[in-house]
Amino acid sequence: MPDTSKPLAIVTGASTGIGYELAKLCAQNGYDLLIAADQAAIHDAAKDFQALGAAVDAVEADLATLEGVDKLYAAAKGRPVGALLANAGHGLGHAFLDQDFTQARHVIDTNITGTIYLIQKVGRDMRSRGEGRILITGSIAGFMPGTFQAVYNGTKAFIDSFSFALRAELKDTGVTVTCLMPGATETEFFERADMMDTQVGQDKKDDPADVAKVGFDAMMRGDGDVVSGWKNKFTTVLASVTPAGILAEQHRKMAEPGSGKK
């Protein structure tokens, strides 16, 4: 990657959806890019961002593995990272006892293990320089028990909590941590999670470009957290005062296999 006067942004999960839109915003706002995803489409996305004037390196890697994260980190070639947008993640539908555990573990390792490993590596560099921005994609799913999405919601509860704790630890270091907490968004998420026969899989969803803009702007302001969309904000308020058992049953209605329109 050429050494330029532009700051460098690392964006994970940048081949589609919210991650693609976040990377696009970075390119439009003066960042060069190091982007990653576990799909070959990351290379096509790189061409789109190059057309916006950014220098772009693309890494195809499984960020559920430490080796995949190491490959991405090495691709920066020591160049200071101005912004880390840790967005990679995926879900898995159906009842936990019916899931293939290898797939369930991949959700955990992508959403949690690989994410916080990358944040630690890049975050240490930022702290030593006394500057940097970290945006972590959490979810409003972290506020409620995820019946028929138990592992995914559990990972997002971890990420939401982790983000607030890390932000507090980095207070006064010059490094900001922002947690973007979207709701259901129009991406490949529900198809990849095998949830297209569910109510939430079939309902109208938020535009990923709108979600990304909310998150990017919050990161640039240095905000601690942001929930995208007024409906999602209302959901989080209700979740904070509703018993967990009731929330779990409400989630069942959205995510139970076959709950969508026939």
Side-chain angles (χ1 to χ4, degrees), residues 76-98:
K77 300 176 181 176
R79 183 174 173 183
V81 178
L84 169 61
L85 295 87
N87 169 80
H90 68 97
L92 186 64
H94 299 276
F96 172 67
L97 296 184
D98 297 330

Side-chain angles (χ1 to χ4, degrees), residues 118-132:
L118 178 61
I119 290 170
Q120 187 181 71
K121 293 175 78 70
V122 176
R124 284 173 172 170
D125 296 338
M126 289 179 169
R127 184 180 62 180
S128 68
R129 299 197 321 270
E131 62 178 3

